[in-house]
Structure formats: structure tokens, C-alpha cells
Amino acid sequence: MIGKLKLLLLLLLIPSSLMAQDKYLKKGDRALIKGEYVEAILHYKKVENKSANLNRKIAESYFALGDYKRSEGFYDAIPEEVRRPDDLLNMAKIYLAKDSFEAAILIYEKAKESGADLDEVKQNLNAINELIAFRNTTKELHLVKISTQPKGKCLGIASFADGIVYSNTSKRINNKENIHQLVVSAYENSVYESAKAFAKSLEAKTNIGAACLSPDGQKLYYTRWFTRKRKQQMEIAVAEIKDGKWQTKESLGFSSRKYSCCYPFLSADGKKMYFASDMKGGFGGMDLYVSEWDGRNWTTPKNLGNTVNTFQNEIYPRILKNGQLWFSSDGHGGYGALDLFFTSRNADRTWAPVKNAGMPYNSEYSDYAILDFEDREHLLFVSDREDRGLRDQIYKLEMNTKEDVEFRVIDFQSGKIIENLKVQVRKVYGDTEFPVVNELNQDGYYQFSILKEERQSGVLFEIKLEKENYQDKLIQYNPSVRKDKFEIKMKHLERKAGFAFVEDLLPIAYPAKKISFKNIYYLKNEAEFSEKVRKILDRLYRFWKLFPDLKIKINAHSDAIGDEQTNRHVSLKMAEKARSYLLKKGLQSTIVEVDAWGE
């Protein structure tokens, strides 16, 4: 009896808070086993004293949810000496998602030393090397929006004959909601033409999109949206052409009103259909599946596995012509909401580690539905990056080819070619200097290269020319409005009688503080100097105050567009304007001299 009383006393002495902590831990463990990661995290965070093992469970939960940022914080809280191989493998993937390739490699090496599966580590290290090589090729890509665009959400794009098919908002039903219907944009003369209605006879009162066509063009597989018990669901339907019109045949056999199937894509031979679904048995959210055509029906779908699929959503599968599987996901960690990822089959037909395509494919918003073509060199994909997720835009990616710009320099009076010049070419807004081929070709032209994107976007370049006994020349070159082959004229220096250029110059004791003056750029019809220009002129005035014996000469010149007389008039006007500004500051009129060149 006495023993029982002692036991009871001991139990009463246990703090109730410890029992509560244990309760939270057990509830978290039960949720974790069920894959209910959000609930598991909520319970685990209520435990006050977090052990290394508890931090590991929270980190794993966030990792499964695709929240790599929070997952990293809890993995970092695990002391290095007790980190397990699985911890290190996940940490390496987190670094990889941040494009920290070197850090990811180091973590994989540590995982190998701590006993991780050698084949898995080797496979991931090879994947990093492949990804680095791929990212190097993306530096040469040129991203532009195509000429035709959807009004709102386009629900993906599909290849069709010599064009593309996507969804556009159509007429309203009872003035309550927009209906998404299919449209087609033809690709002619390297331009995507204005979209026109496609398959008008197909479910005019239903939201449809995310379509794909059979190789013979006779069947159209598409996604249709419906609401069931106040929940939006999707299913894949098939339509066939009859008497020149598309007519819905049926929903595919594996579709169901109990779950969604959507975003179909057919392999090149039409025998495999890849799609997304939240059917039971998946890893969470939307998973990617594949079904095969057996000659009569589509077979039971197979999940692509947990290398591809996550607890979150994987949608819009595509097999590109290089054999890679591309898709969008918010569960693998990346730049934004939905990122584009790709993978390929290993020799044993398993999927290789998934790789984030990086920029310019991905942004902080959603990027999806990539598409390539057998007869076109560019890629297309959809993104809502420009309208904060409110509107889709279709983008084109192609190699950003370089184009040559050639110019030769001739004497203003004689018209003869001037050789042995000092030539500098750089962007006006930026410090990037471009290499110039200083060996003149047989026609006496210098040469430098610009990107096609820079020509189309109107990037300004500055060409600076120097030659002994000639006036220095500085012109702006806008490739979007000027030819890629042109001439520049240079004038001889005019020597004043009784003045030797070097012999008559007296040394000046400059102040200890270095003061530099930049070129002043102006627009032809600019009413007032910008704040940046005024700052430069103010610095010039302060410099003169230190050395009042100096005289100031303002030389102005325009670009080479227009006739020389008009350009000289405009240049002289702007030089006088700068002079007036300095006189108002306190300079004497005899101190400042102005001059102008035509270009």
C-alpha cells in the first residue's frame, strides 16, 4: 500500500506542461505518418524544447511541402555532428534549388562520407554538371512576347498544323462569367497571326482548354471544367471531326467525377498520353500520370513516381523533341509559384533527378506549358510574370544571335579613310565595353557585334574615336533606327597662330580631391536640364571656384542622324544653354566659351 502511494505522489509531481509537450509530439508524429505535413508542423512547433530529431521532423515536413526556405532553417538547427545522410541529401537539394551549385556539391560529398547511397550521390552530382551546362546555354537565349496574346488566362498552348491553339475568354453566359473557348493562331512569315475561333461547335457553354491533337489531326483531346458540389473539377474529353466539324465523343475512361484529370499531352506517335490528376494513390496535390493506347482504349494510368511528383502540384507535362520530360511544379522549390522543370529517363528507365530550368524560363510568378516544334527553332511557354499573376502571356525563346555592325571613318574634307584610330565602343547606360576588330577589312571598315535583342530593344551605344591631329569624335549609335553599316566623318584640329599645343601649356596644381566630369546627354526638344545634368554643371562651377584663372570651353555635338547644319544649330543651342546656367551661378561671361559640331 505504501509503495502505491509513493508512485501516485511521483506522478503528481510531474509538471503538466511536460505532459502537454509530449501530447503535441505524439499528435505531430501521427500527422507526419499520414502525410499531413501542415498539421504535423503546427503540433511540432508547440513543443518548447526542440531536439535535433524534432527539428529534423519539422525540416522534413517543410521540405515535403516544397517550402525549402523554412526547411533550410530547421535543417541548419540540427548540429552538424548528428546530421544523417538523408538530412544532407535534402539540404543539397535545397541549395540546388537556390542555384548554389558549389554548396550543393560540397553537401553531396559530405553525404557520401556519412554513408549515403553512393549511386544516388553520383547520380545527383552528374545531374548538377548537366544542369550547369544547360544553364550556360540559356545565357544566349532571347525572350520576347509573341504578337498575339490571350485576354486573360490561356490554359496552356498546343501545337496545331502551322500554328498554336490556346483558350481565350469568350462571350458571357447570363452576364455572370467569362467562358474560355479554343482559338488558333497561324504561324506565317515567322509571326504568330491574330487568333481566330477554333472548333466553334465544341461545347459552346463550357470552359475548355489545355488541348492536344492526335498526330493525324483527327482527334482533339482537351480539358473541360465543371463545378460539382461547389468544387471546381476537370476531366479530359475527346472530340473527332465529323462532316468538317469537331464533335465531342466522350470523356476518357480513366476520368471520374470523384477527382480531376487535366492538361493532356500526346507523345509524337500518339500512343502515350501524359496528364495531371489528383486521383487517389498519388503523392499529394496534382501528380503526373501516363496512359497508353492499346488499340481500343486508354489503359489504367501509371503514376510517374516520387522523383517527378511531390506533395504539391505537378502539371502541364510535355515530352520535347530531345526526349526530355518538362512540366511545371510548385513542389520542387524554385523561383516562384509554378516553375518549369525537366528530367529524362535513365538507362534503367527510371527518372533522373529533376532540374529547374532557371531563368529566363522561370520567374517569381507562374511559368508553364512549354512547347517546341519539329520545324521551328524556337520554344513557346506561358507565364503571368508581367501582370502579377492576373493575365497570361505567351513567350517565345530563341537563340540570341549576334549581328555585326560595321563603320568606317573618313576625313571630313578629303573623304579619305582614316586609319590607326583609337576606337572604343560601349553601351551608353552601363560600363560594358565591346571588343572592336581593329584590323580594317578591304573596304576600310571597323567591326563590332551586338545581340539581336539589343537591336530590337533599341539599346544605345557610344562610339568614341581618337586620332592625333583630329578632333575627338563621340557619337551615339541606335541599332534599331540606324543601318548596320555606316560612315563617320572626323575633322582636323584647327591650330591657333602663336600657340603650341604642348609647349605653351603651364602645369596646374590640381586639388588633392579628384573631380571628374561626365558627358552631358540631352534630347533635342528637352526644355530643362535633368537633375543629373545640373549636378555635373554644379561640380564644374565648384571646380572653377578653386581655379578662377582657368577658362572653360563647352563643346556640344549631336548624333549623326539628320543634316549637319541642323545638328550644329541644335548643338550650339544646348551649349549656350549650359553656358547660361553657369553664368547664373556666378561665372563671368568672358570665362566661358561655346562651340558646336554638326555631329
Side-chain angles (χ1 to χ4, degrees):
M1 184 69 182
I2 295 173
K4 289 182 179 178
L5 287 172
K6 286 182 178 179
L7 180 62
L8 180 61
L9 266 168
L10 286 172
L11 288 172
L12 290 172
L13 290 172
I14 296 173
S16 60
S17 62
L18 290 178
M19 295 178 68
Q21 300 296 302
D22 187 57
K23 178 181 70 174
Y24 295 140
L25 190 59
K26 288 180 179 179
K27 285 185 176 181
D29 288 343
R30 285 196 293 269
L32 184 64
I33 292 171
K34 293 178 182 179
E36 297 170 351
Y37 301 110
V38 175
E39 185 177 345
I41 291 169
L42 290 174
H43 291 304
Y44 286 146
K45 282 192 171 182
K46 291 178 181 178
V47 178
E48 293 178 1
N49 298 317
K50 294 180 176 60
S51 63
N53 194 44
L54 181 56
N55 282 322
R56 177 178 294 111
K57 291 176 180 179
I58 299 174
E60 288 173 350
S61 298
Y62 275 123
F63 187 88
L65 292 170
D67 191 341
Y68 285 9
K69 185 175 181 180
R70 287 189 173 91
S71 178
E72 181 183 5
F74 284 94
Y75 273 125
D76 286 341
I78 302 173
E80 190 170 345
E81 61 272 13
V82 295
R83 286 177 183 163
R84 298 172 182 173
D86 286 345
D87 299 334
L88 296 170
L89 290 174
N90 284 350
M91 289 177 72
K93 291 176 183 177
I94 290 170
Y95 281 114
L96 193 56
K98 298 193 298 182
D99 291 346
S100 301
F101 300 127
E102 291 184 4
I105 291 171
L106 288 173
I107 297 294
Y108 275 127
E109 293 293 346
K110 287 184 179 179
K112 183 168 63 175
E113 293 171 3
S114 67
D117 183 87
L118 295 180
D119 289 337
E120 183 178 356
V121 172
K122 182 179 178 181
Q123 193 177 65
N124 281 289
L125 289 173
N126 288 338
I128 292 177
N129 291 327
E130 291 172 5
L131 183 56
I132 292 172
F134 172 80
R135 293 287 183 85
N136 287 332
T137 65
T138 64
K139 295 176 183 178
E140 301 297 324
L141 291 175
H142 175 42
L143 180 67
V144 294
K145 289 186 289 187
I146 66 173
S147 53
T148 185
Q149 292 293 340
K151 297 175 184 177
K153 293 293 182 180
C154 75
L155 311 179
I157 49 178
S159 178
F160 174 71
D162 295 324
I164 55 172
V165 171
Y166 59 92
S167 286
N168 219 347
T169 51
S170 186
K171 62 182 180 180
R172 294 174 180 268
I173 293 182
N174 300 327
N175 293 321
K176 290 183 178 179
E177 60 178 329
N178 288 321
I179 291 296
H180 285 82
Q181 292 287 289
L182 296 175
V183 294
V184 60
S185 170
Y187 183 67
E188 296 181 3
N189 300 317
S190 299
V191 174
Y192 286 94
E193 303 289 345
S194 297
K196 298 179 181 179
F198 177 76
K200 289 183 181 180
S201 57
L202 197 62
E203 304 199 48
K205 296 182 180 181
T206 304
N207 283 300
I208 60 176
C212 64
L213 286 113
S214 60
D216 61 6
Q218 297 302 301
K219 288 184 178 181
L220 177 70
Y221 297 92
Y222 61 95
T223 304
R224 57 186 175 196
W225 279 254
F226 60 91
T227 301
R228 183 172 179 267
K229 294 183 179 180
R230 297 183 180 181
K231 181 182 178 182
Q232 189 182 74
Q233 286 187 265
M234 298 167 279
E235 63 182 10
I236 300 172
V238 59
E240 293 183 344
I241 290 182
K242 290 184 179 180
D243 301 324
K245 293 183 179 181
W246 287 103
Q247 296 183 19
T248 302
K249 186 179 178 183
E250 59 191 7
S251 297
L252 298 191
F254 53 72
S255 289
S256 170
R257 292 292 172 117
K258 295 180 180 180
Y259 52 82
S260 289
C261 292
C262 48
Y263 316 129
F265 178 81
L266 286 176
S267 58
D269 59 8
K271 294 180 179 180
K272 289 183 179 180
M273 178 182 291
Y274 296 85
F275 64 96
S277 177
D278 60 356
M279 66 177 68
K280 288 185 178 180
F283 295 93
M286 284 279 180
D287 279 6
L288 298 185
Y289 291 82
V290 62
S291 174
E292 297 190 33
W293 180 252
D294 64 7
R296 297 180 63 186
N297 299 296
W298 290 101
T299 61
T300 302
K302 294 180 180 179
N303 191 295
L304 296 191
N306 62 359
T307 299
V308 172
N309 293 313
T310 67
F311 179 76
Q312 299 292 84
N313 300 291
E314 283 68 48
I315 55 178
Y316 287 101
R318 299 283 191 272
I319 302 293
L320 300 193
K321 58 186 179 184
N322 61 7
Q324 291 177 338
L325 168 68
W326 283 65
F327 60 94
S328 290
S329 172
D330 60 1
H332 281 284
Y335 296 79
L338 283 171
D339 274 10
L340 283 163
F341 294 84
F342 65 93
T343 182
S344 56
R345 292 281 193 184
N346 294 316
D348 61 0
R349 304 302 294 163
T350 58
W351 293 107
V354 168
K355 307 173 186 70
N356 188 304
M359 295 186 290
Y361 294 90
N362 292 319
S363 66
E364 61 179 311
Y365 292 95
S366 290
D367 309 280
Y368 65 97
I370 196 164
L371 192 65
D372 68 352
F373 309 89
E374 290 294 338
D375 57 346
R376 292 169 236 172
E377 293 301 318
H378 61 264
L379 298 168
L380 295 181
F381 70 93
V382 180
S383 176
D384 57 11
R385 62 184 65 185
E386 286 195 13
D387 292 287
R388 298 181 179 273
L390 299 176
R391 180 188 173 192
D392 285 344
Q393 301 275 306
I394 303 173
Y395 290 86
K396 179 171 71 170
L397 266 177
E398 58 187 350
M399 292 303 294
N400 198 356
T401 54
K402 291 185 177 180
E403 299 178 355
D404 291 333
V405 176
E406 294 182 324
F407 65 90
R408 65 180 179 182
V409 185
I410 61 174
D411 186 282
F412 182 81
Q413 291 180 320
S414 67
K416 293 182 179 179
I417 296 173
I418 303 175
E419 299 180 356
N420 301 319
L421 287 151
K422 182 181 178 181
V423 182
Q424 288 180 301
V425 178
R426 69 176 186 87
K427 291 181 181 178
V428 170
Y429 302 104
D431 298 324
T432 306
E433 190 167 324
F434 291 79
V436 179
V437 178
N438 285 308
E439 293 182 7
L440 304 184
N441 61 22
Q442 59 183 4
D443 296 321
Y445 283 90
Y446 291 94
Q447 178 182 299
F448 66 96
S449 297
I450 64 173
L451 296 174
K452 181 179 179 181
E453 179 183 9
E454 292 168 337
R455 176 180 295 282
Q456 293 178 348
S457 58
V459 173
L460 282 177
F461 294 84
E462 188 177 77
I463 302 174
K464 184 178 181 181
L465 306 171
E466 295 178 10
K467 173 73 174 178
E468 188 178 0
N469 297 328
Y470 280 88
Q471 294 179 3
D472 291 350
K473 191 78 170 183
L474 186 69
I475 70 164
Q476 286 187 0
Y477 171 70
N478 186 338
S480 65
V481 298
R482 192 167 183 177
K483 295 180 179 179
D484 55 10
K485 195 171 186 177
F486 55 94
E487 291 183 344
I488 303 173
K489 297 178 182 179
M490 289 185 71
K491 290 182 179 180
H492 279 279
L493 284 170
E494 296 180 4
R495 297 198 180 196
K496 295 183 179 180
F499 179 84
F501 275 74
V502 177
E503 292 84 348
D504 291 355
L505 289 177
L506 296 176
I508 297 175
Y510 288 100
K513 184 179 179 181
K514 183 179 178 181
I515 302 177
S516 61
F517 304 101
K518 299 181 180 179
N519 293 324
I520 296 173
Y521 299 102
Y522 61 89
L523 299 175
K524 181 178 179 182
N525 298 317
E526 195 170 40
E528 298 293 337
F529 284 132
S530 66
E531 183 181 353
K532 185 177 181 181
V533 170
R534 290 197 298 273
K535 284 182 179 179
I536 296 173
L537 291 174
D538 289 345
R539 293 179 71 194
L540 178 59
Y541 170 72
R542 291 196 297 270
F543 181 77
W544 175 81
K545 290 283 286 183
L546 293 172
F547 300 97
D549 294 332
L550 289 177
K551 291 187 177 182
I552 297 172
K553 185 172 183 179
I554 301 173
N555 286 312
H557 67 89
S558 70
D559 56 27
I561 300 174
D563 63 86
E564 185 175 357
Q565 185 176 355
T566 301
N567 289 342
R568 178 176 170 78
H569 174 74
V570 172
S571 300
L572 190 59
K573 182 179 177 181
M574 296 308 294
E576 288 287 359
K577 187 175 179 179
R579 180 177 182 271
S580 298
Y581 182 89
L582 292 171
L583 294 182
K584 288 179 181 178
K585 298 289 290 185
L587 264 70
Q588 299 175 8
S589 59
T590 55
I591 295 295
V592 188
E593 182 183 347
V594 297
D595 195 5
W597 307 327
E599 57 178 53

